[in-house]
Amino acid sequence: MTASVATFGLLGSLVTACGSFASGGTTLRLVVPEYGDSPTTSSRAYWDGLTKAFTAAHPGKRVEVTIHPWADVDREVTRMVKENNAPDVALMGAYSDFAAQGRLYAASEVMSIRTEANFLPALADAGSVDDTLYGFPFVASSRLLFYNAELFEKAGAKAPKTWSDLKDAATALKEEGVLYPYALPLGPEEAHAEALIWELSNGGGYTDDRGNYSLASERNTQTFRWIRDNLVSPALTGPVPPAELNRKDAFAAFLRGDVGMLNGYPSLLHEAREKGMKVDTLRMPVSDTLDTEETPPAVGVADWMMAFKHGDNRELVGLFLNFVYEDENLADFARRYHLLPSTVTAAEASQDAAADPGVDQFLGALRGARLYPVDDPSWLQVSDTVKRNIGKAVAPSAEPKVVLERIAQQARAAVQQRQP
């Protein structure tokens, strides 16, 4: 999930969908997650405005919107599919399981050529199975290292370029009494993001060049051993064990001024600056075994729209999706929640309109980002295993190789379960 809270504005100017799809069916059922955390930030206002505009542009067509909490939406859509009651379009955290079951339209079946070709390449790659686009990226975020510039100035610390620099800065911050010199959220909420950030900065990752899981690779083992020995054991990660620290709590501590460094995404930068904090961002420092001139990919995260096959809904789904992905409509949602739009033209428009140079940095990182292996139908199960267990790899008494091998074994079992 890439969601965070923002204040609602007015829906952007209305743009009609591509006219290459004739009408077929009159009511489209849409299931989406809730991106807000209160009535005033609820996603309902956006979808009500969008569907009203869609109906005005296409008389006789209507959209029924069902909104579920993020914690429930994947499960609810899966239940609907099992009950042979799939929605026409759904927005959620994964798509490939349904694609493997042959339940989804490819982009070429429901989108104009212009719409399909407009997705940012890194996102389009992640949304494709066997070079066919089934997961349509909606909004996204990239991850950068945040640091509290005031705490850094007080500690005499320098913005880090390498892991050694990061350790030196964390040590200086600790000496100044900073509660969390480096906040390391490896708790079950989103440990898979933090873990991947570190793995990539050492030339590792979740998969190898052939797309096979490489969770217990030597590079990954080195990464977690370094974290254990250089950050966790010297108590540079704060009072909460990393395996118990969730992203939400780490972000809250950062906004209280208790964190020197942590990885975050655009909405956190917005919240920090709204509070008047002096915050800077930079790409994740690289391990000392890599050339500092190398730029490992940042982590990118996207939320996925998908179109389910049933009845005579293809033409109506096409009308709706081409409308949703018009620049004004997509960019409006991204602005509301301080996220990044998924298309080239909407991203360029956001970049041109951004008064905050931080947005430009996140967009730049997203273009070459590495995303989770969401094209693998086993990823939902594997990611859950990572989230629940990866924090154990950095415990002072742990041997990272043993923990990673255990996770890798469960990943292999998940892959085998998905094989025909």
Side-chain angles (χ1 to χ4, degrees), residues 143-271:
R143 305 300 165 91
L144 296 173
L145 184 71
F146 285 53
Y147 64 96
N148 185 315
E150 292 183 3
L151 295 180
F152 262 62
E153 290 171 6
K154 184 177 179 181
K158 296 180 180 179
K161 293 183 178 180
T162 67
W163 286 3
S164 290
D165 294 342
L166 188 149
K167 179 184 178 181
D168 291 343
T171 300
L173 290 163
K174 182 183 178 182
E175 291 173 355
E176 285 296 324
V178 176
L179 193 60
Y180 294 86
Y182 178 88
L184 183 66
L186 292 177
E189 181 187 1
E190 206 193 31
H192 58 312
E194 182 72 15
L196 183 57
I197 290 167
W198 279 94
E199 290 170 357
L200 292 175
S201 68
N202 190 34
Y206 286 140
T207 57
D208 59 25
D209 293 339
R210 295 170 295 178
N212 298 317
Y213 287 116
S214 57
L215 295 157
S217 69
E218 184 57 31
R219 283 280 184 181
N220 291 346
T221 300
Q222 292 170 359
T223 295
F224 290 99
R225 190 173 288 136
W226 189 93
I227 296 171
R228 179 198 65 185
D229 295 343
N230 292 276
L231 294 181
V232 180
S233 293
L236 298 178
T237 54
V240 179
E244 299 174 17
L245 182 64
N246 280 320
R247 180 198 63 190
K248 178 178 68 175
D249 298 324
F251 281 14
F254 183 79
L255 293 172
R256 292 195 303 268
D258 291 335
V259 174
M261 296 174 280
L262 87 171
N263 285 299
Y265 47 67
S267 60
L268 178 62
L269 184 61
H270 171 80
E271 291 181 67

Side-chain angles (χ1 to χ4, degrees), residues 13-266:
S13 59
L14 307 182
V15 180
T16 59
C18 172
S20 61
F21 296 91
S23 61
T26 59
T27 300
L28 182 142
R29 293 187 303 144
L30 173 68
V31 176
V32 295
E34 175 58 78
Y35 282 71
D37 67 351
S38 70
T40 57
T41 62
S42 173
S43 304
R44 173 66 65 180
Y46 173 83
W47 293 112
D48 284 351
L50 183 78
T51 55
K52 181 179 179 181
F54 176 75
T55 298
H58 302 283
K61 310 300 182 186
R62 58 190 298 266
V63 181
E64 294 179 353
V65 182
T66 301
I67 299 178
H68 292 290
W70 258 110
D72 300 335
V73 67
D74 287 13
R75 181 176 63 251
E76 287 298 317
V77 173
T78 300
R79 176 188 60 78
M80 295 173 72
V81 171
K82 288 181 178 179
E83 294 174 355
N84 199 30
N85 187 35
D88 296 290
V89 177
L91 173 61
M92 50 191 281
Y95 70 89
S96 56
D97 193 7
F98 301 127
Q101 297 173 37
R103 295 181 179 273
L104 301 181
Y105 287 113
S108 60
E109 298 177 281
V110 290
M111 287 181 169
S112 69
I113 294 173
R114 179 187 179 279
T115 301
E116 180 181 1
N118 197 24
F119 290 114
L120 291 167
L123 302 182
D125 288 345
S128 298
V129 178
D130 296 330
D131 297 320
T132 300
L133 183 63
Y134 292 103
F136 314 141
F138 184 59
V139 286
S141 67
S142 58
R143 305 300 165 91
L144 296 173
L145 184 71
F146 285 53
Y147 64 96
N148 185 315
E150 292 183 3
L151 295 180
F152 262 62
E153 290 171 6
K154 184 177 179 181
K158 296 180 180 179
K161 293 183 178 180
T162 67
W163 286 3
S164 290
D165 294 342
L166 188 149
K167 179 184 178 181
D168 291 343
T171 300
L173 290 163
K174 182 183 178 182
E175 291 173 355
E176 285 296 324
V178 176
L179 193 60
Y180 294 86
Y182 178 88
L184 183 66
L186 292 177
E189 181 187 1
E190 206 193 31
H192 58 312
E194 182 72 15
L196 183 57
I197 290 167
W198 279 94
E199 290 170 357
L200 292 175
S201 68
N202 190 34
Y206 286 140
T207 57
D208 59 25
D209 293 339
R210 295 170 295 178
N212 298 317
Y213 287 116
S214 57
L215 295 157
S217 69
E218 184 57 31
R219 283 280 184 181
N220 291 346
T221 300
Q222 292 170 359
T223 295
F224 290 99
R225 190 173 288 136
W226 189 93
I227 296 171
R228 179 198 65 185
D229 295 343
N230 292 276
L231 294 181
V232 180
S233 293
L236 298 178
T237 54
V240 179
E244 299 174 17
L245 182 64
N246 280 320
R247 180 198 63 190
K248 178 178 68 175
D249 298 324
F251 281 14
F254 183 79
L255 293 172
R256 292 195 303 268
D258 291 335
V259 174
M261 296 174 280
L262 87 171
N263 285 299
Y265 47 67

